[in-house]
Amino acid sequence: MTTLKAKLQEDLTTAIRARDELHSSTLRLTLSAITKEEVAGKEARVLSDEEVLKVIAKEAKKRREAAEAFAQGGRPEQAARETAEGEFLDTYLPKQLTDDELVAIVTQAVEEAKAAGAEGPRAMGAVMKIVNPKVAGLAEGGRVAAVVKQQLS
């Protein structure tokens, strides 16, 4: 078992003992998503810490989207719970890049792409290829794409 998955298991046990319903249910759902990912495909496998982080990030994003949907649907108490779950899952993720840090990385990538001959909006793919490995897990794809579009236009 990976160290991150083991930490999630330990935290689940602690949350259950503390009768912390929010954290225990969030951890249960996250661990089941990890297990589902492990058994997906032709044969079962053990996820690396990096793959576990991707699953946690996906779960946190689901919570943010659900909170937004509940807020728009006039269910503030459910939106607040989803937001709390998402913030709790964020504690397991690496610190996200600030807007300034992201802009600096994208600016450098745009310059590299221009040096390679790619310019204008059609250079989006080339720039994203340079940026994605640098920001993997540190910024959401939509945020990165928005900054790249802004820099290229």
Side-chain angles (χ1 to χ4, degrees):
M1 188 180 324
T2 62
T3 55
L4 185 56
K5 185 176 176 188
K7 179 170 176 19
L8 290 171
Q9 295 275 12
E10 290 169 18
D11 290 351
L12 174 60
T13 304
T14 305
I16 291 171
R17 286 191 180 134
R19 300 196 187 293
D20 185 343
E21 196 275 328
L22 176 79
H23 290 167
S24 62
S25 66
T26 303
L27 288 169
R28 277 191 179 115
L29 287 169
T30 304
L31 285 165
S32 72
I34 291 168
T35 303
K36 183 179 176 186
E37 189 68 29
E38 287 178 334
V39 297
K42 293 190 188 270
E43 62 182 58
R45 62 194 172 93
V46 176
L47 298 181
S48 68
D49 276 352
E50 193 173 291
E51 292 169 315
V52 170
L53 276 174
K54 285 181 184 175
V55 173
I56 294 172
K58 192 175 4 173
E59 291 296 308
K61 184 177 179 188
K62 279 184 196 175
R63 300 307 191 289
R64 282 192 295 277
E65 291 170 351
E68 205 173 283
F70 281 127
Q72 290 175 354
R75 298 194 45 206
E77 67 286 337
Q78 194 65 33
R81 179 179 172 92
E82 292 290 335
T83 301
E85 287 182 5
E87 288 170 355
F88 174 64
L89 287 175
D90 285 341
T91 62
Y92 291 97
L93 297 172
K95 186 177 171 292
Q96 296 290 295
L97 291 173
T98 65
D99 289 338
D100 293 338
E101 292 169 330
L102 184 59
V103 167
I105 291 171
V106 170
T107 302
Q108 181 185 4
V110 167
E111 288 172 13
E112 285 179 38
K114 282 183 181 175
E119 265 192 64
R122 289 179 288 177
M124 178 90 175
V127 174
M128 290 299 283
K129 275 184 188 171
I130 297 168
V131 172
N132 277 338
K134 295 178 182 176
V135 299
L138 301 174
E140 282 186 7
R143 236 180 101 205
V144 175
V147 173
V148 171
K149 277 184 188 171
Q150 176 191 7
Q151 294 249 344
L152 290 175
S153 59

